Amino acid sequence: MSIVDDTVAGTGTRHEEVRRYLDAQRSLETTADEVEGLETSVGVETFKQQLDLLKRRLVEDPASFRDLFIDDGVAAVAWEFEQPELSDEFLETLWKVLLGEGDASTVLMRFIWGLPVGKKRKFIRAVDRVLSSRYPMLEGFSASWPANVAIPPYIREPDVRAEDFELVNQGYLGYMETGLTAREVDLLVWLEVLRDKQCEERPCELGSLQKSTDVRIGGCPVRIHIPEMIDLIGHGDFRGALELIQDANPLPDVTGRVCPQELQCQGSCILKVPMSIGQIEFFLPQREKLLYPNANQERFASVADPWKQGTKPPVAIVGSGPSGLINAYLLAVEGYPVTVFEAFHKLGGVLRYGIPEFRLPNGLIDDVVEKIRLLGGKFVMNFVVGKTATLQDLRDAGFWKIFVGTGAGLPRFMNVPGEHLLNVMSANEFLTRVNLMQGLKEEFETPLPEIKGKEILIIGGGNTAMDAARTSRRLGGNVTIVYRRSRSEMPARVEELHHALEEGIALKQLASPTEFIGDDTGFVKAAVVDQMKLGEPDDSGRRKPVSTGESETIKADLVIMALGNASNPIIKDSEPRLATSKWGTIVLETEGSQQTTLEGVYTGGDAARGGSTAVNAAGDGQSAAREILGDLDVPSDQVADMVVKAGAYTQRSLTASTIVAKRQLSDGIVEFTVRAPVIADTAEAGQFVRVLPWDGGELVPLTLADWDAKAGTICLVIQGMGTSSILMNKMEVGETLAGIAGPLGLPSHVERHADDSTVVFTAGGLGLPPVYPIARKHLELGNHVTLIAGFRSENLMFWVGEGERVTELKATYGDLLDVVYATNDGSLGYKGFVTGPLEEMLEANKVGRGRPIAEVVTIGPPFMMRAVSDLTKPYGVPCVASLNSIMVDATGMCGSCMVPVEIDGRPVRKHACIDGPEIDSHIIDWDKFLPRFNLFKSQEKQSRVRHGLA
């Protein structure tokens, strides 16, 4: 086209534009005239009024318009669900809206939750088809939906997790490690929930009826309303679901981790692949913590302090395990002042010392404790009820009711030859050293046995055995589980055994140790194992293992016994009115009640059941709380005084263990006076305390050298030997020890002897401080005492100068006390060991001279005590030795202070912290006992080198 043609064409276009403009202007003028004419009409006036009204409503009540539009949207979605299949495009749009977290998302969740199963299945097919490439856990999900498929939690790979102590089963939120958002995880949980059938029979909560009976098995021991919980999630109300759980169970993140759900809620599920109830129970509080970190503080911010209000009577809870924690929470949330008394320096009981962090992180326990604190609950640690105070002492202190949740206690052994060998220990001791005392970390002082590259045998097949095995594997051991039955009879959770085998742990089935063999140094080196076969069922319903007569010897550098627990006798022995069973468990007064035979005292968990589960313990604590809440029998005018009294006792029990005086006695030996009023109140001669010098230190047993109840102090004498004792001796007045528990052990047995007899004490070196209060007790009773105090040399002697304890004792009791000094170098008194003067007395008695020796008490270095024992035995003179052997908890729970004795020709285990510390020295198998003091010799040497103390 030429330039001219372009110009003509352009001119024509401009004419057209002018024409259209003029036409539009005429139309606008006409329309304006029409609008102006209609402005004052009745119809338009009404319309304008209605429009103004709608505008105001939109501002004041936007939800009404939102609902209008949502209703239209849901109608459109409903139309899509009427189609044979959901289209890919529709599913993508639907999923995008679900991810949005707004009102539209919630409405869609509710809509789909309310659909019949057939339409839900249509949705699941589309999800599988469209989203499984994005979410691999959904691949094939629709094929067997809903009965035969579940969305699994995120579990770390075996080769990675077996090298650390991080959480193995990370639950649904673990998928965030793969890049998913928290909202995507919400929807995965919601998809799992869509499988639920909302059964009217509620078997997950109530259990299933046994055929032809009214007996239910399974179900939820803490009676969480599981169908309602699932329904709330189905409607998109995750926080509401959590609140529902927490009304019944304040520790769902704990029970959701460790409950045997396969035997309880999930075991009763009618779906072939049960609903993932345990995982959901764990997910909800973890989600809350992730999205609302301050939720606990906000939830309880307005709660009044029940101790200040003083309107409800105070309750004491003994033990901070699962039963104690749930009991404390449920009472506190109802406004009751509660004090939890815990024997350890950390809270959680078996949840903390017994379960490794790769299965139950300590932060979950801390979360429950925080809730109770926010409700006004108080916690007193290092307080051993039955020793520090009796149950009656707590009642006298103002506590209205008491709940006892002390757990099972003493570990079981097999009583086969060689169990005394070094590195044969209970799972309780091993796990306590690793979990509670953090011995696996270099900055903590508690020693662990050498494990890396060693052959480790775990004896037993329960969950504790799995924990010990998997812990040993993470510490570098080559681990074999030895179990006397077959794999199918193992009581461990299927998941735990599966994980253990995945992590490379071997399983030796149908095998039972009959003997352990030691090396020349007293350490175990092998186990003789009988090959077993299964016979007839026993009382448990499982087939009884029977020996085939064949055996083999397998290498073992460490043997860990995981055979369950017997009942700890501390509570029972301190309260004769409390009825116990032949197994030592606390008897419940009536069926359906948690009250004991002692009015106002309740119990639950392993203390009443023997070995059981954390969730059964929690259920007992819950039931006891309900009973207590329904039994308010205190006149209102007495409540305030009870609260004040119990509060004062609680505060006194919380007194910091501050050093108020320090004195150097001799080279490496220091005397400390420490504030500890509740221990000073009940201390008796012969008892000891368990000291944690600082966070990260080890637990050290120290004999009570003296105490002053009026001043509220105790006296400890410490010889710097290992890292902890050397560093303790460097502490100064004003510093505070991390914790002292006691008084522990049995008091000395003191009885009146004939006037012409004498009680002889042989005190070697640091044996003088523990001898002093026992000798004083005998003198107070009127017994004559002969004290033979031995030292290496005169310059190392202490407490014997003017105004010192021994001299003052002599001044007070005169002729009732004879004091003989022996020094190794002869620098003062008898030259030689304490056995020299003792032998002279024994020989004199033999020919009828001198005061007859009524008994001998020997305290000091182990080899000295053996020498005294061996010396007295041929003369037929009774002799007791006070033993502070290797200890961890010092309450019998760990079994580490084992003392091998022989009674009526058979070997028996005694424990220094429960049966002692004073034990008949003539029944002690000293050849087996003395090597125990070398158990951690190499580890202690390494520690001193690490701290520059070698």
Side-chain angles (χ1 to χ4, degrees), residues 855-929:
E855 64 174 317
V856 174
V857 179
T858 181
I859 307 178
F863 286 96
M864 182 215 80
M865 291 190 290
R866 178 179 187 164
V868 171
S869 179
D870 289 346
L871 177 61
T872 55
K873 192 171 185 179
Y875 293 91
V877 174
C879 180
V880 297
S882 183
L883 308 174
N884 274 359
S885 55
I886 306 299
M887 292 187 185
V888 182
D889 74 297
T891 65
M893 183 276 296
C894 70
S896 62
C897 63
M898 186 271 290
V899 181
V901 304
E902 190 171 291
I903 299 177
D904 298 330
R906 62 187 182 89
V908 176
R909 299 177 66 91
K910 284 187 176 291
H911 297 90
C913 67
I914 292 293
D915 304 300
E918 293 177 11
I919 293 177
D920 180 353
S921 72
H922 294 156
I923 66 172
I924 297 171
D925 190 330
W926 291 96
D927 288 332
K928 294 177 180 177
F929 178 65

Side-chain angles (χ1 to χ4, degrees), residues 242-255:
L242 176 62
E243 288 172 7
L244 178 74
I245 293 179
Q246 290 182 328
D247 284 344
N249 177 17
L251 48 156
D253 36 7
V254 173
T255 54

Side-chain angles (χ1 to χ4, degrees), residues 213-228:
T213 72
D214 58 357
V215 177
R216 292 184 178 272
I217 57 172
C220 179
V222 291
R223 290 294 180 259
I224 292 172
H225 300 316
I226 296 171
E228 284 81 359

Side-chain angles (χ1 to χ4, degrees), residues 695-762:
D695 289 332
E698 61 182 312
L699 294 172
V700 182
L702 295 171
T703 304
L704 280 166
D706 206 353
W707 55 91
D708 184 335
K710 187 175 180 180
T713 59
I714 61 174
C715 175
L716 305 174
V717 177
I718 304 172
Q719 183 174 18
M721 301 284 287
T723 297
S724 292
S725 55
I726 292 172
L727 294 179
M728 284 170 72
N729 279 355
K730 293 183 178 182
M731 296 180 74
E732 298 295 340
V733 172
E735 291 188 72
T736 299
L737 300 166
I740 304 179
L744 300 171
L746 297 178
S748 296
H749 175 70
V750 179
E751 61 181 84
R752 184 72 169 87
H753 295 294
D755 288 345
D756 65 340
S757 68
T758 187
V759 178
V760 177
F761 289 86
T762 62

Side-chain angles (χ1 to χ4, degrees), residues 68-88:
L68 177 66
F69 293 124
I70 285 176
D71 288 344
D72 289 342
V74 169
V77 171
W79 181 86
E80 291 285 350
F81 271 87
E82 293 298 328
Q83 308 311 304
E85 292 293 337
L86 302 182
S87 70
D88 291 6

Side-chain angles (χ1 to χ4, degrees), residues 282-500:
F282 172 58
F283 162 77
L284 290 170
Q286 290 305 98
R287 176 188 186 273
E288 183 83 351
K289 194 170 184 179
L290 175 70
L291 299 179
Y292 311 99
N294 297 318
N296 285 344
Q297 291 87 338
E298 293 170 4
R299 181 182 179 192
F300 301 118
S302 61
V303 173
D305 186 340
W307 292 96
K308 292 179 179 178
Q309 283 193 311
T311 57
K312 294 184 178 180
V315 180
I317 289 89
V318 182
S320 65
S323 65
L325 288 177
I326 195 169
N327 186 267
Y329 174 85
L330 293 174
L331 292 171
V333 85
E334 293 295 332
Y336 283 79
V338 299
T339 298
V340 180
F341 294 94
E342 167 57 45
F344 273 131
H345 58 282
K346 295 284 187 183
L347 299 168
V350 68
L351 300 175
R352 190 178 296 269
Y353 76 72
I355 302 178
E357 287 209 79
F358 58 78
R359 198 155 73 88
L360 181 67
N362 287 336
L364 305 186
I365 304 166
D366 297 337
D367 182 67
V368 182
V369 171
E370 180 191 41
K371 293 174 186 174
I372 297 170
R373 288 191 194 278
L374 290 169
L375 288 164
K378 298 180 183 296
F379 293 89
V380 178
M381 289 166 278
N382 297 296
F383 193 107
V384 183
V385 174
K387 294 294 184 181
T388 314
T390 64
L391 296 176
Q392 187 59 49
D393 289 336
L394 296 180
R395 296 298 293 271
D396 293 343
F399 289 100
W400 168 55
K401 304 281 188 183
I402 301 173
F403 176 79
V404 178
T406 50
L410 297 171
R412 290 194 177 98
F413 287 80
M414 298 183 70
N415 293 322
V416 299
E419 277 189 330
H420 68 281
L421 291 168
L422 306 184
N423 276 359
V424 177
M425 64 174 56
S426 73
N428 282 7
E429 177 184 356
F430 176 68
L431 292 171
T432 298
R433 288 181 178 276
V434 176
N435 299 334
L436 178 72
M437 300 308 301
Q438 296 288 294
L440 72 166
K441 297 178 180 177
E442 192 171 285
E443 63 268 27
F444 285 75
E445 288 305 316
T446 298
L448 291 180
E450 294 180 6
I451 294 177
K452 191 171 184 179
K454 303 294 185 179
E455 297 299 323
I456 318 298
L457 299 187
I458 312 296
I459 314 301
N463 290 325
T464 302
M466 299 306 114
D467 289 339
R470 297 174 70 194
T471 298
S472 300
R473 168 67 182 84
R474 283 159 173 75
L475 294 173
N478 303 316
V479 186
T480 301
I481 297 170
V482 178
Y483 183 57
R484 61 182 185 154
R485 290 184 169 96
S486 66
R487 177 174 173 176
S488 60
E489 279 84 27
M490 292 181 81
R493 293 190 63 191
V494 174
E495 178 186 38
E496 300 305 319
L497 175 58
H498 175 68
H499 286 168

Side-chain angles (χ1 to χ4, degrees), residues 135 142 360 562 648 684 925:
Y135 308 105
S142 63
L360 181 67
E684 294 188 59
D925 190 330

